[in-house]
């Protein structure tokens, strides 16, 4: 195996530096949580609900920028249809990241036990990860670390 010459080494170092800077930028995005303790990172998840009136899956081909989505009172991504609303958040303060789901009927909070929610996250190069939820306080909590 040949040792890389000086130009190749410099090019490799530049690629590594740019990659590290981009990773740092991505990791620091969305850390601020205005208006509450929730971090609304739900834009990388698809949710599906199985009970309650008039709610279905979001279009899997929906490519709106994250800022174009409506936000709920806890800072999460809000899906609404027919008066029923689902707010998907990722909570990560002093804990490993976890999904939290808040449900609404006509913009009023619902008892979390009244809904069943499953979330499937698809990441490049990985098998889809499915989350199920259980009631915890005023929200449904995901069963695994995001």
């Amino acid at each position: 195996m040949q040792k890389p010459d000086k130009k190749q080494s410099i090019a490799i170092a530049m690629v590594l530096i740019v990659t590290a800077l981009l990773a740092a930028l991505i990791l620091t995005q969305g850390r601020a949580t205005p208006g509450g303790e929730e971090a609304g990172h739900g834009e990388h998840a698809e949710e599906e609900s199985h009970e309650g009136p008039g709610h279905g899956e979001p279009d899997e081909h929906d490519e709106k920028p994250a800022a174009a989505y409506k936000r709920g009172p806890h800072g999460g991504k809000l899906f609404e249809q027919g008066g029923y609303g689902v707010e998907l958040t990722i909570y990560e303060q002093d804990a490993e990241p976890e999904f939290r789901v808040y449900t609404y009927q006509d913009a009023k909070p619902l008892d979390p036990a009244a809904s069943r929610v499953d979330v499937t996250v698809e990441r490049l190069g990985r098998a889809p990860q499915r989350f199920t939820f259980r009631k915890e306080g005023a929200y449904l909590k995901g069963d695994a670390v995001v």
Side-chain angles (χ1 to χ4, degrees):
M1 186 169 170
Q2 251 184 331
K3 184 178 177 182
D5 66 14
K6 189 174 181 176
K7 286 183 181 180
Q8 286 176 324
S9 297
I10 291 172
I12 291 170
M14 293 300 292
V15 168
L16 291 174
I17 290 169
V18 169
T19 302
L21 290 173
L22 287 174
L25 179 64
I26 290 168
L27 291 173
T28 59
Q29 291 288 350
R31 290 289 182 195
T33 55
E37 59 185 34
E38 300 290 337
H41 296 155
E43 55 267 10
H44 299 292
E46 292 184 19
E47 58 75 35
E48 57 179 294
S49 298
H50 300 284
E51 293 181 8
H55 58 275
E57 291 184 35
D59 183 358
E60 67 185 52
H61 303 290
D62 192 358
E63 297 181 13
K64 292 181 190 177
Y69 288 101
K70 189 172 180 181
R71 295 286 174 184
H74 299 94
K77 190 173 180 180
L78 183 62
F79 302 91
E80 294 179 302
Q81 186 175 8
Y84 182 80
V86 175
E87 179 182 3
L88 181 65
T89 69
I90 295 180
Y91 179 81
E92 56 186 358
Q93 290 192 339
D94 301 323
E96 293 189 278
E98 64 186 34
F99 278 122
R100 291 187 177 180
V101 173
Y102 300 84
T103 56
Y104 307 94
Q105 183 66 50
D106 298 322
K108 295 178 184 167
L110 278 177
D111 177 4
S115 300
R116 186 176 136 230
V117 178
D118 295 313
V119 173
T120 301
V121 176
E122 296 182 14
R123 296 180 178 104
L124 290 176
R126 294 191 198 171
Q129 183 179 8
R130 186 176 175 142
F131 296 84
T132 57
F133 292 79
R134 64 175 163 60
K135 181 180 177 179
E136 186 167 300
Y139 55 86
L140 295 167
K141 179 181 175 182
D143 65 346
V145 173
V146 178

